[in-house]
Amino acid sequence: MFRHFISALLLLSSLSFAQTIPTSTVPASRLAHIRHGINLSEWFAQVYDPKGYTKEHFESWTTASDIALIKSAGFDHVRLSVNPQPMMDAMQKPNGAADYYGYLDAAMKMILDAGLAVEVDMHPDSDLKAKLNDNDFVERFADFWRGVAKHYSSPPWDTDRVFFEILNEPEMHDAYRWQGVAARLAKAIRQGAPSNTILAPGASWDNDDDMVFLEPLRDPNVIYVFHFYGPHIFTHQGASWRTSYWKWEGNLHYPSNAANAAQVAETVPEAIDRLYVIRYGADHWDGPRVESEINQAADWAKRNGVPLVCNEFGVYRHAQPQDRLAWLKDVRTSLEHHNISWAMWDYSGSFGVVTKQNGKNVLDEDTVKALGLR
């Protein structure tokens, strides 16, 4: 009976989207804190070290020197990825919540003390996202979010510079169900944090075409999220995850051209995958094409009277440097043309704005320039 009640509640939450949608109340002064950002990955999420989420990792992966470097480059905020599962697990142990909050508090304080804003991005693995198809788990996750939001909305945390992102890249095939789940999680966050701004994604991987399906939440203090990696065949060339043929690609140029794509296609084993590469060459991916894609999200936001942030975009460093820089500049320019806030993926990972030199993180000045900073 309870499960049927929750299902009905989620459906009603979804249907209510089509009713009165309040005008956005996100202050311009608050939006000004998150104009140009960078993602901090592999710190509180995506930890692939077999030792996992340890005190030593939290205290050494990102340091005060890294935060100072981010500030010096001209970024105004960071998107802090937090995998909720280790935190939820820690809360089941004696003093586990206090210990985990201690590590996360130290990171948050370091970021805010540097004059940066922070997007707290709930960034789980796919197995936790799949659990959101279960109503009981939605309630458990909502309760978890309520507690996190309450913790970081109370003094000494700065309400104007702490933002709560419902979920990174949902993987929900039923977009109508996601509407109800998103509404439930947003309500829980709002119960914990009456004044902070919430960041809300669409149902499937935060794609820009997913954005145009989304109906705004009834909460007016919300910024809407999308990610942009178009086209993945260029931005993820050489990558060994998700799509098998990406790893065969190399030296695929941006802007795209047919001759280069045909040459790269010869190195790809499967005929269907070669076709995808050839199509990339024929599709004329360049600045105007990027603009046409981002314009769809911008038009949606304008129609609905809500602000946007593109808080992931980037190119895997396997691409040729000049092509990567050209793509970054075109995407950043289009976002700023539409007054869309942004955060590049990422700081020190395989898409990073820094490189390692003599064991130290050093800014890639060409990337910083492509982002229009300094």
Side-chain angles (χ1 to χ4, degrees), residues 39-43 45-46 61-62 79 81 345-349:
N39 279 267
L40 288 177
S41 61
E42 300 179 44
W43 190 10
Q46 307 133 314
W61 184 261
T62 302
R79 181 174 181 247
S81 300
W345 186 272
D346 59 353
Y347 173 64
S348 61

Side-chain angles (χ1 to χ4, degrees), residues 162-241:
V162 176
F163 299 76
F164 298 121
E165 184 171 351
I166 295 173
L167 195 74
N168 173 69
E169 295 185 347
E171 299 173 36
M172 189 127 353
H173 299 297
D174 183 348
Y176 294 102
R177 177 177 173 83
W178 173 249
Q179 300 271 35
V181 171
R184 183 71 190 94
L185 298 178
K187 181 179 179 182
I189 295 170
R190 181 60 66 226
Q191 288 169 337
S195 301
N196 294 68
T197 296
I198 295 170
L199 305 183
S204 179
W205 295 101
D206 288 348
N207 293 324
D208 59 324
D209 53 359
D210 185 47
M211 170 66 64
V212 300
F213 180 86
L214 186 67
E215 291 288 344
L217 295 164
R218 298 179 70 185
D219 188 322
N221 189 9
V222 175
I223 301 170
Y224 292 84
V225 172
F226 73 101
H227 295 170
F228 190 81
Y229 290 102
H232 282 75
I233 197 169
F234 167 74
T235 61
H236 285 63
Q237 61 182 294
S240 59
W241 63 92

Side-chain angles (χ1 to χ4, degrees), residues 74-340:
F75 295 106
D76 57 19
H77 76 283
V78 301
R79 181 174 181 247
L80 179 60
S81 300
V82 177
N83 186 342
Q85 190 64 66
M87 196 170 180
M88 294 170 79
D89 292 343
M91 289 177 175
Q92 303 305 310
K93 303 174 183 176
N95 299 317
D99 290 344
Y100 215 98
Y101 271 123
Y103 305 136
L104 193 53
D105 286 356
M108 294 280 288
K109 185 176 187 303
M110 186 164 61
I111 293 164
L112 292 167
D113 284 353
L116 298 165
V118 58
E119 298 172 3
V120 179
D121 155 40
M122 281 300 164
H123 204 110
D125 295 333
S126 293
D127 56 349
L128 186 145
K129 297 180 195 178
K131 293 177 183 178
L132 291 171
N133 287 295
D134 176 75
N135 295 334
D136 292 338
F137 185 78
V138 171
E139 289 304 303
R140 182 185 169 201
F141 192 52
D143 189 56
F144 166 76
W145 239 133
R146 187 183 296 108
V148 173
K150 183 177 181 180
H151 181 85
Y152 289 113
S153 64
S154 306
W157 308 108
D158 184 348
T159 301
D160 283 335
R161 291 192 294 138
V162 176
F163 299 76
F164 298 121
E165 184 171 351
I166 295 173
L167 195 74
N168 173 69
E169 295 185 347
E171 299 173 36
M172 189 127 353
H173 299 297
D174 183 348
Y176 294 102
R177 177 177 173 83
W178 173 249
Q179 300 271 35
V181 171
R184 183 71 190 94
L185 298 178
K187 181 179 179 182
I189 295 170
R190 181 60 66 226
Q191 288 169 337
S195 301
N196 294 68
T197 296
I198 295 170
L199 305 183
S204 179
W205 295 101
D206 288 348
N207 293 324
D208 59 324
D209 53 359
D210 185 47
M211 170 66 64
V212 300
F213 180 86
L214 186 67
E215 291 288 344
L217 295 164
R218 298 179 70 185
D219 188 322
N221 189 9
V222 175
I223 301 170
Y224 292 84
V225 172
F226 73 101
H227 295 170
F228 190 81
Y229 290 102
H232 282 75
I233 197 169
F234 167 74
T235 61
H236 285 63
Q237 61 182 294
S240 59
W241 63 92
R242 290 281 299 277
T243 301
S244 61
Y245 71 89
W246 288 345
K247 67 178 179 287
W248 297 103
E249 298 174 351
N251 201 34
L252 191 62
H253 293 324
Y254 175 88
S256 65
N257 69 80
N260 166 251
Q263 184 178 33
V264 173
E266 292 178 2
T267 69
V268 177
E270 297 296 331
I272 184 64
D273 299 331
R274 290 196 294 272
L275 176 60
Y276 296 146
V277 177
I278 290 168
R279 282 177 176 168
Y280 168 73
D283 281 347
H284 303 294
W285 274 95
D286 56 12
R289 175 61 188 274
V290 166
E291 167 69 15
S292 70
E293 293 284 329
I294 291 174
N295 189 56
Q296 300 306 307
D299 281 352
W300 176 89
K302 184 177 180 180
R303 288 196 305 273
N304 289 285
V306 295
L308 284 183
V309 59
C310 176
N311 61 10
E312 281 192 31
F313 69 101
V315 181
Y316 189 52
R317 279 188 171 272
H318 189 77
Q320 291 297 310
Q322 69 275 12
D323 298 329
R324 175 177 174 272
L325 295 171
W327 185 93
L328 287 172
K329 182 178 180 181
D330 283 348
V331 173
R332 186 266 304 172
T333 300
S334 179
L335 293 170
E336 292 179 353
H337 170 72
H338 291 290
N339 199 34
I340 298 172

Side-chain angles (χ1 to χ4, degrees), residues 26-43:
V26 181
S29 59
R30 190 170 292 183
L31 287 169
H33 287 305
I34 57 165
R35 297 302 302 165
H36 312 125
I38 194 71
N39 279 267
L40 288 177
S41 61
E42 300 179 44
W43 190 10

